[in-house]
Amino acid sequence: MGFFSKDIKTLDDLFIHMLRDIYYAEKKIERSLPKMIGLATDPQLKAGFEKHLEQTKGHIDRVEQVFELHGVKAKAVSCPAIDGILEEADEVSADIDDREVLDAALIASAQAVEHYEMTRYGTLIAWAKQLGRSDCANVLAKNLKEEQATDRKLSEMAENRINLLAA
Ligand code: FE
Ligand code: FE
């Protein structure tokens, strides 16, 4: 189902399309996090990525749960947006030697990923409610909450680093 084809006729179709998009994104993030764990030097950052990898597996399960609630087969549709964010993250980290600078880059890349997920879950929750599917909205809200908490933790780490550098 291409975004510009005419397969998407209703809000329900669009909801399913976006569910497939975030399903693809979550699976891609699951495959990317081990590399970020390997690159991170700061123990707190490394542990944060490890925790989020576990959470991401849970996000995939919850998205599958929403497919099931909605009565459609779980299927991914490629998401060039997350591909681009992760590709850029790879390119930048490959260009950095300094471990401190690399950690800063990893935090920034991870926040870009979290913000992408947050915007998708925010939209999906709004559409689920509009479609009268508060059951789906409730499951998706659990993922959104964990993405937001992760983003906040990354912000804290970024700010702590700035304070350390200023000290
Ligand atoms: Fe996620
Ligand atoms: Fe996430």
Side-chain angles (χ1 to χ4, degrees):
M1 188 159 72
F3 196 77
F4 295 107
S5 71
K6 305 286 182 187
D7 297 330
I8 301 170
K9 293 185 175 72
T10 63
L11 183 64
D12 194 82
D13 295 338
L14 190 58
F15 175 78
I16 292 163
H17 175 82
M18 195 170 279
L19 202 57
R20 289 173 171 163
D21 171 291
I22 194 70
Y23 190 48
Y24 174 96
E26 290 283 13
K27 287 183 154 199
K28 185 111 187 195
I29 294 161
E30 184 193 23
R31 288 198 304 276
S32 300
L33 273 166
K35 193 180 171 188
M36 296 174 81
I37 292 167
L39 289 174
T41 304
D42 182 273
Q44 200 195 350
L45 181 60
K46 204 183 260 288
F49 283 155
E50 272 160 3
K51 184 184 173 192
H52 201 56
L53 175 55
E54 284 318 301
Q55 286 180 326
T56 299
K57 292 181 204 285
H59 295 173
I60 293 168
D61 288 343
R62 287 200 194 109
V63 172
E64 286 172 352
Q65 218 178 303
V66 175
F67 276 118
E68 209 179 306
L69 282 171
H70 212 68
V72 291
K73 232 184 103 205
K75 204 181 103 181
V77 64
S78 74
C79 165
I82 198 74
D83 284 344
I85 290 171
L86 292 168
E87 204 180 299
E88 192 178 324
D90 269 355
E91 280 173 16
V92 172
S93 51
D95 272 342
I96 301 172
D97 272 329
D98 186 279
R99 316 280 299 181
E100 287 274 312
V101 178
L102 182 55
D103 275 356
L106 290 169
I107 292 173
S109 299
Q111 285 198 279
V113 169
E114 294 316 303
H115 279 252
Y116 179 73
E117 293 182 289
M118 280 153 57
T119 182
R120 283 329 199 193
Y121 283 121
T123 300
L124 279 165
I125 291 164
W127 287 348
K129 284 179 185 165
Q130 238 174 297
L131 292 165
R133 298 305 305 261
S134 54
D135 53 342
C136 295
N138 289 341
V139 177
L140 294 163
K142 290 180 189 169
N143 283 5
L144 177 60
K145 243 182 127 176
E146 289 181 353
E147 312 294 16
Q148 286 167 332
T150 302
D151 178 55
R152 273 196 300 273
K153 251 182 264 163
L154 288 163
S155 284
E156 273 170 35
M157 281 189 238
E159 279 156 25
N160 288 343
R161 293 172 51 82
I162 290 162
N163 293 339
L164 273 175
L165 289 173

